C-alpha cells in the first residue's frame, strides 16, 4: 500500500501528527496552537491523497483559546524561543466504534513571560468523525503536555504524558475513559534515552511487549525519536541500544528537525510512521513544522527500523486544497474570535472592523485566513472603499503570531498604502508607505517562494506596484507555528468588503520573484 507518496503529506503548518485507521480510512490530526477552529482532521484512503475534512474543536463553547498567546525568550544557548500557547500535540485513537482525541490546552499567564503558564489536559470523542460532531472536552489534571491513549487487551485504558519542569519525563496512568477520573495516579515510567526534552509519548502493544516511542532533544535541530520497551506497562523500560530510532541531526538532509512521531499499520499490516519535519534551505524553513510519512520495518519481538524520509520535487502533489468555499474546513481565526464580525458569501467576505491590533495578545483582531500550503505561490485580494466612513485600515497579512507578521494595508483615512514587517524575536521592524488616492478599490498581492517574499498593490485597474521585498529568513525562528495568509480590518466598527481572496495560486513565470 502507498508505494508512492509525496512528502510532506500535510504541507504547511501541520505539526505533531497523530493517526488512526477507522473502517479502512486513515484519519490524521495536528496541533493548532492559537488557531480557531482547532485540531484539524485530514482523511486518506490510501496514504497518498489527503483532504482536510474538518476540525475537532469547532464550537467556541468547547474551550477558550484566549490565552493562546506567544512568549519570546532566550534558550540556554541564547537563541530566541518563540513559544505559542493553545492546543498541543493531540493523539487520535479509535476503540469500540468511538474515535477519541486527547490533547493539551496550554494556557499562558498575563505576564507574557516564559514559564508563566499552566496546562489543561482533555479528551473529546465522536461516533461519526466525518460529521464533525465532537463532544465537549472532558478535562483531567496533570502538569504537563502531550497525552496519549492506549486501549489495552483487558479493557483497561492508559494515558501517557510528558511531565514538564526542569526535567521532561514520561508518566503513565490508568483512566476512566467515560469520566476522565484517574483510576491509577500518574507514575513515572521512563526518564528518556538522552534525558533531554523527552516528550510526545505513545505506547504500542506488540508481541507481548509494551513499546514506548518518544521524541527527544527538543523540536528543533537536535530533534529525534527514541524507544524503550517493557513486558509490563508500568515498567521497568529498557532503552533500545541503537537509539536514536530516527533523527536528521548532524546530516545534510533537506528535511530536518525530524521527530515527534506516531507508528501505525495499514490494512495489509505494513508499519508506517508520521512525524514532524521542516524543509530547510540555507537556514530557512518558512513553512514551519510539517507532517511527513515513511515506512517502517518492525520484525516480531524486535525493534522498528524507520526508512529515511524522502521529499521529492512534486511537493503538495496529493494534498487536495479546500479552495475558497465559505464552508470549507480550512478557514481559521485567531484565538477566541468574535465570529459575528465575519460574513462570507461566494467570493465576497465582509469584515466588521475592530480596534484590536494584530499585535494584541489580549484580544482577537478581526482576521480570517488559511494556512499557506505551497512553497511557491501567490495570495491576492481586492478591498472595496467603504461607503460611509474612512476610519478603517484593511489589507492582506502573512501571519505567524502577534510578534511576527508581514502586512500590506490601505489606510482609508490617510490615503496611504502601508507595509509593516515585524519579528520581535529578531528585533526586526520595517515599514514602507506610499500616498495613494483611490476611487473604488485597491488590490494586494503577496508572491512567495522558499526564499523570498514580495508585497505589491494596485489601485482600481492600474498596474501592479511593488512595495516591499524580503528574505524568508526573517520569519524563520525556533518556533511552533507556521504561516497563515489572511485578510484583516482594523477600525471602529466599519464594515469592509473583500472579494476574490485567494491563497496558494500558482505563479505564472512572469510574476515569480
Amino acid at each position: 500500500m502507498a508505494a508512492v507518496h509525496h512528502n510532506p503529506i500535510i504541507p504547511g503548518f501541520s505539526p505533531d501528527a497523530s493517526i488512526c485507521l477507522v473502517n479502512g480510512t486513515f484519519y490524521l490530526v495536528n496541533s493548532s496552537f492559537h488557531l480557531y477552529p482547532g485540531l484539524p482532521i485530514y482523511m486518506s484512503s490510501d496514504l497518498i491523497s489527503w483532504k482536510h475534512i474538518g476540525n475537532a474543536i469547532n464550537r467556541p463553547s468547547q474551550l477558550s483559546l484566549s490565552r493562546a498567546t506567544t512568549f519570546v525568550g532566550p534558550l540556554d544557548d541564547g537563541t530566541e524561543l518563540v513559544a505559542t500557547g493553545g492546543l498541543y500535540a493531540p493523539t487520535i485513537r479509535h476503540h469500540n466504534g468511538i474515535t477519541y482525541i486527547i490533547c493539551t490546552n496550554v494556557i499562558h499567564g498575563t505576564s507574557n513571560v516564559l514559564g508563566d503558564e499552566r496546562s489543561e489536559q482533555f479528551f473529546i470523542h465522536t461516533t461519526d468523525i466525518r460529521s464533525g460532531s465532537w463532544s465537549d472536552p472532558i478535562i483531567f489534571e496533570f502538569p504537563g503536555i502531550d497525552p496519549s491513549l492506549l486501549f489495552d487487551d483487558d479493557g483497561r485504558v492508559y494515558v501517557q504524558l510528558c511531565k514538564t519542569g526542569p526535567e521532561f519525563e514520561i508518566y503513565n496512568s490508568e483512566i476512566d475513559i467515560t469520566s476522565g477520573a484517574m483510576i491509577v495516579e500518574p507514575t513515572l515510567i521512563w526518564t528518556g534515552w538522552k534525558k533531554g526534552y523527552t516528550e510526545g509519548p505513545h505506547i504500542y502493544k506488540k508481541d507481548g511487549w509494551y513499546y514506548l516511542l518518544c521524541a527527544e532533544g527538543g523540536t528543533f535541530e537536535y530533534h529525534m525519536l527514541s524507544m524503550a520497551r517493557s513486558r509490563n506497562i508500568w515498567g521497568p523500560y529498557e532503552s533500545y541500544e541503537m537509539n536514536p530510532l530516527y533523527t536528521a541531526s548532524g546530516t545534510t538532509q533537506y528535511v530536518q528537525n525530524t521527530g515527534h512521531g506516531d507508528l501505525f499499520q495499514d490494512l495489509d499490516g505494513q508499519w508506517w510512521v508520521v512525524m514532524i519535519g521542516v524543509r530547510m534551505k540555507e537556514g530557512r524553513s518558512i513553512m514551519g513544522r510539517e507532517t511527513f510519512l515513511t515506512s517502517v520495518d518492525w520484525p516480531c519481538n524486535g525493534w522498528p527500523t524507520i526508512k529515511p524520509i524522502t521529499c521529492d520535487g512534486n511537493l503538495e502533489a496529493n494534498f487536495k486544497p479546500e479552495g475558497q468555499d465559505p464552508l470549507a474546513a480550512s478557514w481559521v481565526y485567531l484565538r477566541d474570535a468574535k465570529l459575528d464580525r465575519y460574513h462570507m458569501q461566494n467570493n465576497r467576505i465582509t469584515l466588521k472592523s475592530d480596534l484590536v491590533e494584530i499585535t494584541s495578545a489580549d484580544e482577537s483582531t478581526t482576521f480570517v485566513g488559511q494556512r499557506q500550503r505551497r512553497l511557491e505561490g501567490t495570495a491576492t485580494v481586492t478591498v472595496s472603499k467603504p461607503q460611509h466612513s474612512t476610519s478603517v485600515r484593511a489589507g492582506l497579512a502573512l501571519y505567524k503570531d502577534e510578534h511576527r507578521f508581514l502586512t500590506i494595508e490601505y489606510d482609508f483615512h490617510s490615503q496611504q498604502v502601508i507595509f509593516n514587517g515585524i519579528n520581535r524575536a529578531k528585533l526586526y521592524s520595517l515599514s514602507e508607505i506610499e500616498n495613494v488616492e483611490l476611487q473604488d478599490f485597491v488590490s494586494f498581492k503577496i508572491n512567495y517562494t522558499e526564499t523570498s517574499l514580495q508585497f505589491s498593490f494596485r489601485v482600481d485597474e492600474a498596474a501592479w506596484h511593488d512595495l516591499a521585498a524580503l528574505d524568508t529568513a526573517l520569519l524563520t525562528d525556533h518556533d511552533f507555528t507556521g504561516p497563515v495568509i489572511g485578510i484583516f480590518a482594523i477600525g471602529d466598527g466599519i464594515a469592509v468588503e473583500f472579494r476574490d481572496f485567494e491563497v496558494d495560486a500558482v505563479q505564472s513565470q512572469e510574476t515569480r520573484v
Side-chain angles (χ1 to χ4, degrees), residues 7-282:
N7 272 317
I9 58 169
I10 313 295
F13 180 7
S14 59
D16 308 325
S18 179
I19 191 169
C20 71
L21 182 63
V22 182
N23 298 325
T25 299
F26 299 95
Y27 295 94
L28 183 149
V29 64
N30 290 121
S31 298
S32 53
F33 294 93
H34 55 332
L35 299 184
Y36 175 86
L39 304 184
I41 307 290
Y42 303 90
M43 177 181 75
S44 176
S45 60
D46 57 8
L47 298 179
I48 300 174
S49 296
W50 293 87
K51 183 178 180 181
H52 186 181
I53 63 165
N55 303 278
I57 298 298
N58 53 40
R59 303 185 306 277
S61 60
Q62 284 175 290
L63 52 76
S64 174
L65 294 171
S66 65
R67 297 310 306 167
T69 57
T70 300
F71 296 158
V72 178
L75 294 168
D76 292 342
D77 63 1
T79 303
E80 292 293 306
L81 172 67
V82 186
T84 302
L87 302 184
Y88 277 42
T91 296
I92 187 169
R93 296 291 184 258
H94 186 79
H95 181 72
N96 287 346
I98 301 175
T99 304
Y100 299 86
I101 292 177
I102 190 167
C103 188
T104 305
N105 185 12
V106 174
I107 300 166
H108 284 174
T110 57
S111 71
N112 287 326
V113 174
L114 281 170
D116 180 15
E117 62 186 45
R118 64 183 178 87
S119 56
E120 188 173 77
Q121 318 299 330
F122 69 90
F123 60 89
I124 54 178
H125 56 81
T126 183
T127 57
D128 184 357
I129 193 170
R130 297 194 196 187
S131 72
S133 299
W134 290 87
S135 71
D136 286 335
I138 298 170
I139 296 171
F140 63 98
E141 298 299 322
F142 183 82
I145 55 173
D146 300 1
S148 182
L149 282 171
L150 175 70
F151 293 88
D152 211 343
D153 305 333
D154 59 3
R156 298 178 186 272
V157 184
Y158 298 101
V159 175
Q160 300 80 52
L161 306 107
C162 163
K163 186 175 183 180
T164 55
E167 304 293 336
F168 281 53
E169 298 173 330
I170 306 306
Y171 282 66
N172 186 59
S173 65
E174 185 183 349
I175 196 170
D176 182 336
I177 198 61
T178 60
S179 68
M182 291 288 180
I183 297 172
V184 178
E185 290 298 312
T187 302
L188 177 65
I189 60 171
W190 199 45
T191 58
W193 172 65
K194 278 285 189 181
K195 300 179 176 61
Y197 299 106
T198 306
E199 56 190 352
H202 297 297
I203 289 181
Y204 311 90
K205 193 172 186 181
K206 181 180 184 293
D207 309 323
W209 291 96
Y210 293 93
Y211 287 87
L212 173 60
L213 178 72
C214 292
E216 295 199 53
T219 193
F220 306 118
E221 59 267 35
Y222 304 115
H223 209 194
M224 66 184 74
L225 289 172
S226 61
M227 184 169 267
R229 70 180 183 180
S230 174
R231 290 290 187 183
N232 189 310
I233 196 167
W234 300 104
Y237 281 83
E238 59 170 309
S239 298
Y240 180 32
E241 64 180 11
M242 297 297 290
N243 275 328
L245 200 62
Y246 193 89
T247 187
S249 180
T251 74
T252 59
Q253 295 174 16
Y254 177 45
V255 181
Q256 288 287 320
N257 301 8
T258 50
H260 199 113
D262 194 8
L263 292 155
F264 67 100
Q265 287 178 286
D266 64 23
L267 289 169
D268 299 326
Q270 168 67 49
W271 283 94
W272 300 84
V273 64
V274 288
M275 72 173 83
I276 281 177
V278 301
R279 289 179 266 177
M280 187 72 71
K281 183 173 183 177
E282 299 170 352

Side-chain angles (χ1 to χ4, degrees), residues 357-373:
E357 295 283 347
I358 290 180
T359 54
S360 174
D362 298 315
E363 296 185 70
S364 177
T365 191
T366 302
F367 171 99
V368 62
Q370 298 185 350
R371 294 168 176 86
Q372 179 185 335
R373 299 295 191 183

Side-chain angles (χ1 to χ4, degrees), residues 4 24 47 95 138 151 166 192 251 282 319 342 389 441 450 461 482:
V4 179
L47 298 179
H95 181 72
I138 298 170
F151 293 88
T251 74
E282 299 170 352
F319 183 85
Y342 304 83
S389 175
F441 55 84
E450 190 165 10
E461 298 294 343

Side-chain angles (χ1 to χ4, degrees), residues 487-505:
I487 56 176
F488 65 93
I490 299 171
D492 56 0
I494 303 302
V496 181
E497 183 176 278
F498 300 76
R499 60 179 168 86
D500 301 325
F501 173 57
E502 187 174 16
V503 176
D504 288 336

Side-chain angles (χ1 to χ4, degrees), residues 11 279 287 315-316 321 372-377 448 504-506:
R279 289 179 266 177
M287 299 295 278
L315 301 175
E316 305 94 22
Q372 179 185 335
R373 299 295 191 183
R374 292 184 179 275
L375 271 175
E376 296 192 0
Y448 42 90
D504 288 336
V506 177

